[in-house]
Amino acid sequence: MGQGGEPRRPQPRDGELGAAVARAQEGDETAFAVAYRIVQPGLLGYLRGLVGDDAEDVASDAWLEIARDLGRFRGDGAGFRGWTATIARHRALDHLRRQRVRPRAARLDQDALELPGRHSTYEQALESLSTARALELVRGLPRDQAEAVLLRVVVGLDGPAAARVLGKRPGAVRTAAYRGLRRLARRLGAQGAADERADGVTDGDPPTPGESG
């Protein structure tokens, strides 16, 4: 468990990613392709949560900047995930400003995440956000919670790294992720119970005593 009750989500390929980035900084194009393949799925899922169908175009712009500025990056594989997410977010916000729309709460395609089955607890929601219903529920979260969940679950950042991407205090991002994931867990649990009784699913979110937002 991380601070504030937030479980950490280790990324088993971060060692491979860090090594690939180091080689890419020395001019190894194959290593850059390896880094791209590791990072792109999560980055694209995050951007889909911000700009919807324009995610691939925004991701392309982000990777051009990533490739251009790669020599200035300092850090390991986990740091590279955060650095690329920051660049992608800036490009997404630029895109949204050009479109004169506000970031959408979280529009995700099913291939952005891989979640099996029904889960009803906070930790299970974190580890398994990916049925079509779960994605619908992410879209319904408040924006701060949705983006915190996207960075934590889709991109795979820990709380402090997600906070750096968002330019917020780690505690604020941890709280947003915690509340968002608890809300998802409650809804997933309620839906699972309802499915066992009937075809309909209640999409309400009754407040938990002592919790706001």
Side-chain angles (χ1 to χ4, degrees):
M1 267 315 194
Q3 294 180 2
E6 180 186 355
R8 294 177 61 87
R9 184 178 175 84
Q11 298 297 304
R13 300 190 70 185
D14 277 350
E16 179 186 358
L17 176 58
V21 170
R23 294 196 306 274
Q25 289 179 314
E26 297 173 354
D28 187 334
E29 294 182 2
T30 300
F32 185 83
V34 170
Y36 172 87
R37 286 195 297 270
I38 294 173
V39 171
Q40 172 69 352
L43 202 66
L44 189 59
Y46 173 54
L47 288 171
R48 282 180 176 138
L50 292 178
V51 301
D53 293 338
D54 296 328
E56 292 193 10
D57 290 340
V58 174
S60 295
D61 290 342
W63 278 105
L64 287 174
E65 184 173 343
I66 291 164
R68 184 193 69 198
D69 295 342
L70 184 63
R72 299 194 311 201
F73 170 73
R74 297 291 181 271
D76 56 10
F80 187 73
R81 287 184 191 275
W83 183 66
T84 56
T86 299
I87 291 173
R89 185 172 192 266
H90 289 164
R91 298 289 69 76
L93 295 179
D94 286 345
H95 174 82
L96 290 166
R97 278 191 287 269
R98 288 194 298 270
Q99 298 295 319
R100 297 193 175 190
V101 297
R102 298 181 63 181
R104 283 165 277 190
R107 182 180 175 189
L108 298 177
D109 291 340
Q110 188 156 354
D111 62 355
L113 300 170
E114 293 182 357
L115 327 181
R118 297 176 189 144
H119 299 272
S120 60
T121 68
Y122 170 71
E123 291 188 37
Q124 287 173 322
L126 175 65
E127 292 301 325
S128 64
L129 261 187
S130 141
T131 60
R133 282 182 186 159
L135 299 180
E136 289 293 330
L137 293 174
V138 172
R139 288 204 283 271
L141 292 176
R143 183 191 161 195
D144 64 329
Q145 295 178 13
E147 196 165 2
V149 169
L150 287 167
L151 287 170
R152 288 286 291 111
V153 180
V154 184
V155 181
L157 303 184
D158 63 15
R164 288 192 292 272
V165 172
L166 297 174
K168 296 182 178 180
R169 298 189 312 276
V173 175
R174 284 195 298 270
T175 298
Y178 178 72
R179 288 179 173 173
L181 287 165
R182 281 196 61 190
R183 182 171 293 185
L184 288 170
R186 289 200 305 272
R187 289 181 174 179
L188 286 167
Q191 286 186 346
D195 283 348
E196 293 175 359
R197 297 191 302 267
D199 292 334
V201 175
T202 300
D203 194 34
D205 183 25
T208 298
E211 177 182 341
S212 60

Coordinates of all heavy atoms in Angstrom, one line a residue, residues 19-37 63 67 70:
A19 N 16.6 0.5 -19.7 CA 17.7 0.1 -20.5 C 17.6 0.5 -21.9 O 18.5 1.0 -22.6 CB 17.9 -1.4 -20.4
A20 N 16.3 0.4 -22.5 CA 16.1 0.7 -23.8 C 16.2 2.2 -24.0 O 16.8 2.7 -25.0 CB 14.7 0.3 -24.2
V21 N 15.8 3.0 -23.1 CA 15.9 4.5 -23.2 C 17.4 4.9 -23.2 O 17.8 5.7 -24.0 CB 15.1 5.2 -22.0 CG1 15.4 6.7 -22.0 CG2 13.6 4.9 -22.2
A22 N 18.1 4.3 -22.3 CA 19.6 4.6 -22.2 C 20.2 4.3 -23.6 O 21.1 5.1 -24.1 CB 20.2 3.8 -21.1
R23 N 19.9 3.2 -24.2 CA 20.5 2.8 -25.5 C 20.0 3.8 -26.6 O 20.8 4.2 -27.5 CB 20.2 1.4 -25.9 CG 20.8 0.4 -25.0 CD 20.8 -1.0 -25.6 NE 19.5 -1.4 -26.0 CZ 18.6 -2.0 -25.2 NH1 18.9 -2.3 -23.9 NH2 17.4 -2.4 -25.7
A24 N 18.7 4.2 -26.5 CA 18.2 5.1 -27.5 C 18.8 6.4 -27.4 O 19.1 7.1 -28.4 CB 16.7 5.2 -27.3
Q25 N 19.2 6.9 -26.2 CA 19.9 8.1 -26.1 C 21.3 8.1 -26.7 O 21.9 9.2 -26.9 CB 20.0 8.5 -24.6 CG 18.6 8.9 -24.0 CD 18.7 9.2 -22.5 OE1 19.3 8.5 -21.7 NE2 18.1 10.3 -22.1
E26 N 21.8 6.9 -26.9 CA 23.1 6.8 -27.6 C 22.9 6.6 -29.1 O 23.9 6.4 -29.8 CB 23.8 5.6 -27.0 CG 24.2 5.8 -25.5 CD 24.8 4.5 -24.9 OE1 24.8 3.4 -25.6 OE2 25.2 4.5 -23.7
G27 N 21.7 6.7 -29.5 CA 21.5 6.6 -31.0 C 20.9 5.3 -31.5 O 20.8 5.1 -32.7
D28 N 20.6 4.4 -30.6 CA 20.1 3.1 -31.0 C 18.6 3.2 -31.4 O 17.7 3.3 -30.5 CB 20.3 2.1 -29.9 CG 19.9 0.7 -30.3 OD1 19.1 0.5 -31.2 OD2 20.5 -0.3 -29.7
E29 N 18.3 3.2 -32.7 CA 16.9 3.4 -33.1 C 16.0 2.1 -32.7 O 14.8 2.3 -32.5 CB 16.9 3.6 -34.6 CG 17.5 4.9 -35.0 CD 17.4 5.2 -36.5 OE1 16.8 4.3 -37.2 OE2 17.9 6.2 -37.0
T30 N 16.6 1.0 -32.8 CA 15.9 -0.2 -32.4 C 15.5 -0.1 -30.9 O 14.3 -0.5 -30.5 CB 16.7 -1.5 -32.6 OG1 17.1 -1.6 -34.0 CG2 16.0 -2.7 -32.2
A31 N 16.3 0.4 -30.1 CA 16.0 0.5 -28.6 C 14.9 1.6 -28.5 O 14.0 1.4 -27.6 CB 17.2 1.0 -27.9
F32 N 14.9 2.6 -29.3 CA 13.8 3.6 -29.2 C 12.5 2.9 -29.6 O 11.4 3.2 -28.9 CB 14.1 4.8 -30.1 CG 13.0 5.9 -30.0 CD1 13.1 6.8 -29.0 CD2 12.0 5.9 -30.9 CE1 12.2 7.8 -28.9 CE2 11.0 6.9 -30.7 CZ 11.1 7.9 -29.7
A33 N 12.5 2.1 -30.5 CA 11.3 1.3 -30.9 C 10.8 0.5 -29.8 O 9.6 0.3 -29.6 CB 11.5 0.5 -32.2
V34 N 11.7 -0.2 -29.0 CA 11.3 -1.0 -27.9 C 10.7 -0.1 -26.8 O 9.6 -0.5 -26.3 CB 12.6 -1.7 -27.3 CG1 12.2 -2.3 -25.9 CG2 13.1 -2.7 -28.3
A35 N 11.3 1.1 -26.5 CA 10.7 2.0 -25.6 C 9.3 2.4 -26.0 O 8.3 2.5 -25.2 CB 11.6 3.2 -25.4
Y36 N 9.1 2.7 -27.3 CA 7.8 3.1 -27.8 C 6.8 2.0 -27.6 O 5.7 2.3 -27.2 CB 8.0 3.4 -29.3 CG 6.7 3.7 -30.0 CD1 6.1 4.9 -30.1 CD2 6.0 2.6 -30.7 CE1 4.9 5.2 -30.7 CE2 4.8 2.9 -31.3 CZ 4.3 4.1 -31.4 OH 3.1 4.4 -32.0
R37 N 7.1 0.8 -27.9 CA 6.2 -0.3 -27.8 C 5.8 -0.6 -26.3 O 4.6 -0.9 -26.1 CB 6.8 -1.6 -28.4 CG 6.8 -1.7 -29.9 CD 7.1 -3.1 -30.4 NE 8.4 -3.6 -30.0 CZ 9.5 -3.4 -30.7 NH1 9.5 -2.8 -31.8 NH2 10.6 -3.9 -30.2
W63 N 5.1 12.0 -29.5 CA 6.3 11.2 -29.8 C 7.3 12.0 -30.6 O 8.5 11.7 -30.4 CB 5.9 9.9 -30.4 CG 5.4 8.9 -29.5 CD1 4.2 8.5 -29.2 CD2 6.3 8.2 -28.5 NE1 4.1 7.5 -28.2 CE2 5.4 7.3 -27.8 CE3 7.6 8.1 -28.3 CZ2 5.9 6.5 -26.8 CZ3 8.1 7.3 -27.3 CH2 7.2 6.5 -26.5
A67 N 11.0 12.2 -29.1 CA 12.2 11.9 -29.9 C 13.2 13.0 -29.9 O 14.4 12.9 -29.8 CB 11.8 11.4 -31.3
L70 N 14.8 13.6 -26.4 CA 15.2 12.4 -25.6 C 16.5 12.6 -24.9 O 16.7 12.1 -23.8 CB 15.3 11.2 -26.6 CG 15.6 9.9 -25.9 CD1 14.5 9.5 -24.9 CD2 15.8 8.8 -27.0

